[in-house]
Amino acid sequence: MPAAVPPNPSADRTEADAIVIGSGLAGLVAAAELIDAGKRVILLEQEPESNLGGQAHWSFGGLFLVDSPEQRHLGVRDSLELATQDWFGAAAFDRPEDHWPKRWAEAYLDFAAGEKRAWLHDQGVRFFPVVGWAERGGYGAIGHGNSVPRFHITWGTGPGVVAPFVRRVNAGVEDGTVSAHFRHRVDELLTEDGAVVGVRGSVLAPSHAERGAPSSREVVGEFSCRAPAVLVASGGIGGNHDLVREQWPARLGTPPTTMLSGVPAHVDGRMLAISERAGGRLINGDRMWHYVEGITNWDPIWPQHGIRILPGPSSLWFDATGKRLPVPLFPGFDTLGTLAHLRATGHDHSWFVLTQRIIEKEFALSGSEQNPDLTGKDLGLLAKRIGPGAPGPVEAFKEHGADFVVADTLTELIAGMQELSPETPIDAANVIAEVEARDREIDNPFTKDLQITALRGARSYRGDKLIRVAAPHRLLDPKAGPLIAVKLHVLTRKSLGGLETDLASRVLGPDGNPVPGLYAAGEAAGFGGGGIHGYRALEGTFLGGCLFSGRTAGRAMAGA
């Protein structure tokens, strides 16, 4: 993916057909659509040019597709009806404010089951052939979770998703259609007679900070520009822990005292309040998506930088005191259900207990930089995933990460866990009893332990058996060792609420009517409508929400 925009022949432009605030995926997609329609665009971004592509660049590149060729090749029978059942079972829409989010969900499902793959394929996006199975649920057919694997990993991960739109925007910069301004922070949306007509803001000091790293907030100038259509595509609040805690819902327990950040500090939610002051309505701010499998990055880029483990289903999960989590809170089944349970324990961390055999097969790390084989499209490196040994980045975390304990015996492992959390006594006898009891259940192909039933069921899916789920084995089998424990933290990630928008991405005001000239897309709009996911997401749906809402916004603004 190009690392920078080319020289900007229209750098001094202060008037255009559209202004796009934010150079993340949603903003880039919208800008690309505007370019295709022959519109002049001003692209504004407070961060340095190194951050082009926003959070999508860092992502694993997972996309939610329905009834794809990749699914069919693996014997997965999916349909729009099944995907709709899963989406609405997860979302659990129950508020008057969910009118537009529900309509956005229906439109997005049609897109995911229809032209989404072909549209991306035409722009050069390709997919890893094994479809992942995330958020498996476990509550029944109409409850939360994906009934079938739908997590399509982009060949090239997040940068591979972003690349076509960077390419299109760069072409617009080269021909003068796009005027790109980095280090331009919007502080106000300009309004006249109730309509948004432009922006005013601060020019920040030049910065050579690497992608994701904190940049200076020194103000060196001011700017303003005007357009009849202004798009807010500035992201969510995950880098602002104070705001996350302020909006934390009671249904998820008390907010953690300590959290890791899955996004850089500049993901701070500033534009949400600015948009509200201009007349936009914010809804569903208490709906949010944070992971419970966060580990401290041993080689951090931004403050409190955490990485999420994308786990297979075999690790035993214990709370901070050594109590096993209840059914169906197994690794990879229900992110927010697990978060709510763990917050009720009064502790900010929990534990995976597993073996070397499990970590080799089942641990993946979220992030383009943690998957050099997929990101770099390196077939030789990719082939090593099927062979013995864990992927290099996983082994690096096991060796250098502050949250990993490795031992030959369970007693030694628990002692190491206690050393990492001296303030929280671990019930060693209970951990030993749970591990030994679980191992006895492995001796037969049937069991009363529903986690073992689940992992055996997962291996009936070809993709999981091939590269994702270890063969059932005793945790205390020396041949499967050594034993590993991983201390897990809450990792901030996504806002599920945001600016309320209609199906043309127009921001709505408190009276339910569009604010003239104001649009929103991506995480700032709750990925569509102000909360397309409802209470829970199905994974692979955040990038897709940016693609779909950005495309919708760009096309609507072009026709405004």
Side-chain angles (χ1 to χ4, degrees):
M1 187 184 85
V5 295
N8 198 346
S10 303
D12 296 329
R13 180 182 298 156
T14 59
E15 295 191 4
D17 299 307
I19 296 170
V20 174
I21 304 170
S23 67
L25 181 58
L28 292 174
V29 173
E33 295 293 327
L34 286 159
I35 293 165
D36 287 352
K39 303 297 182 180
R40 297 170 304 147
V41 180
I42 295 174
L43 178 64
L44 301 174
E45 171 60 59
Q46 71 171 357
E47 293 307 304
E49 195 172 342
S50 58
N51 283 276
L52 188 66
Q55 301 319 299
H57 172 89
W58 296 106
S59 78
F60 197 35
L63 291 171
F64 179 95
L65 298 174
V66 178
D67 192 26
S68 68
E70 290 78 15
Q71 287 175 301
R72 293 194 293 271
H73 181 72
L74 291 166
V76 175
R77 298 177 182 177
D78 201 4
S79 67
L80 176 58
E81 293 75 20
L82 184 60
T84 300
Q85 171 182 300
D86 290 348
W87 191 289
F88 279 77
F93 295 119
D94 63 356
R95 298 173 175 175
E97 295 90 342
D98 287 331
H99 170 74
W100 287 110
K102 285 192 288 189
R103 294 193 63 185
W104 269 89
E106 292 165 347
Y108 177 69
L109 285 161
D110 285 338
F111 178 61
E115 64 174 311
K116 179 180 178 181
R117 185 184 182 280
W119 176 65
L120 290 169
H121 196 272
D122 287 346
Q123 298 180 70
V125 175
R126 298 294 183 267
F127 297 101
F128 184 58
V130 179
V131 183
W133 195 351
E135 284 297 297
R136 302 177 191 223
Y139 298 98
I142 61 173
H144 171 65
N146 284 295
S147 298
V148 297
R150 297 192 178 102
F151 191 80
H152 295 68
I153 301 169
T154 304
W155 189 230
T157 65
V161 177
V162 172
F165 306 101
V166 170
R167 188 162 53 244
R168 290 164 66 185
V169 170
N170 278 348
V173 171
E174 289 176 341
D175 68 18
T177 304
V178 177
S179 178
H181 300 266
F182 295 89
R183 303 298 285 156
H184 279 58
R185 184 187 68 195
V186 174
D187 299 322
E188 179 186 2
L189 296 176
L190 302 177
T191 60
E192 293 179 0
D193 298 323
V196 173
V197 297
V199 304
R200 179 183 293 120
S202 302
V203 179
L204 303 180
S207 172
H208 299 290
E210 64 177 307
R211 181 187 293 274
S215 60
S216 165
R217 290 294 177 264
E218 179 188 356
V219 174
V220 297
E222 298 179 347
F223 75 95
S224 65
C225 47
R226 298 175 66 90
V230 177
L231 174 67
V232 177
S234 54
I237 67 172
N240 185 338
H241 289 192
D242 289 338
L243 191 53
V244 169
R245 292 189 182 95
E246 179 183 318
Q247 298 191 6
W248 192 277
R251 67 180 178 277
L252 294 179
T254 57
T257 302
T258 59
M259 296 182 283
L260 298 176
S261 285
V263 295
H266 64 253
V267 185
D268 57 10
R270 284 186 73 256
M271 279 307 305
L272 297 177
I274 291 169
S275 301
E276 187 176 36
R277 288 196 290 272
R281 184 189 185 201
L282 291 170
I283 61 174
N284 298 320
D286 65 326
R287 292 177 179 171
M288 51 185 67
W289 189 261
H290 306 305
Y291 292 109
V292 280
E293 311 99 333
I295 52 177
T296 308
N297 194 343
W298 65 273
D299 188 19
I301 297 172
W302 54 79
Q304 299 168 290
H305 189 175
I307 296 293
R308 186 211 173 190
I309 297 170
L310 285 74
S314 297
S315 299
L316 282 187
W317 205 334
F318 295 93
D319 70 16
T321 67
K323 184 179 296 184
R324 189 176 175 188
L325 270 57
V327 173
L329 304 183
F330 312 135
F333 278 66
D334 179 5
T335 293
L336 291 195
T338 307
L339 175 60
H341 174 81
L342 290 173
R343 293 311 310 140
T345 68
H347 301 282
D348 288 353
H349 69 276
S350 61
W351 294 95
F352 278 165
V353 171
L354 61 149
T355 65
Q356 178 68 22
R357 189 177 295 174
I358 291 172
I359 202 173
E360 289 179 359
K361 190 92 167 185
E362 298 194 5
F363 268 36
L365 300 174
S366 181
S368 55
E369 81 284 9
Q370 301 298 332
N371 295 275
D373 51 353
L374 293 164
T375 302
K377 304 179 182 180
D378 188 326
L379 292 173
L381 197 56
L382 181 64
K384 294 182 179 180
R385 288 194 183 233
I386 302 176
V394 174
E395 281 293 337
F397 265 89
K398 195 181 81 173
E399 180 179 352
H400 302 294
D403 297 315
F404 284 73
V405 180
V406 181
D408 291 324
T409 70
L410 187 54
T411 300
E412 292 172 323
L413 188 78
I414 296 169
M417 294 163 63
Q418 189 66 82
E419 189 175 338
L420 282 189
S421 55
E423 73 289 349
T424 307
I426 297 172
D427 187 340
N430 186 69
V431 174
I432 292 170
E434 287 282 8
V435 171
E436 291 178 345
R438 181 260 185 209
D439 277 7
R440 294 186 192 103
E441 296 290 318
I442 289 290
D443 288 342
N444 293 288
F446 42 84
T447 176
K448 69 178 181 182
D449 189 316
L450 289 182
Q451 183 173 0
I452 297 174
T453 298
L455 69 92
R456 283 179 170 147
R459 283 176 61 84
S460 67
Y461 165 52
R462 249 187 300 162
D464 275 353
K465 185 173 183 178
L466 179 64
I467 64 169
R468 196 70 177 108
V469 181
H473 61 276
R474 291 184 296 112
L475 296 181
L476 298 180
D477 181 354
K479 296 179 182 178
L483 290 165
I484 301 166
V486 187
K487 187 177 182 180
L488 306 171
H489 311 267
V490 175
L491 179 74
T492 64
R493 187 76 97 200
K494 297 298 181 186
S495 313
L496 298 188
L499 290 163
E500 186 178 25
T501 59
D502 64 12
L503 287 180
S505 290
R506 298 181 298 180
V507 174
L508 305 180
D511 60 0
N513 294 316
V515 178
L518 185 58
Y519 298 77
E523 194 173 351
F527 302 95
I532 192 173
H533 298 97
Y535 288 95
R536 282 181 167 102
L538 289 176
E539 292 290 24
T541 55
F542 300 130
L543 289 179
C546 290
L547 290 166
F548 184 58
S549 62
R551 190 178 87 147
T552 299
R555 293 180 179 185
M557 294 165 74

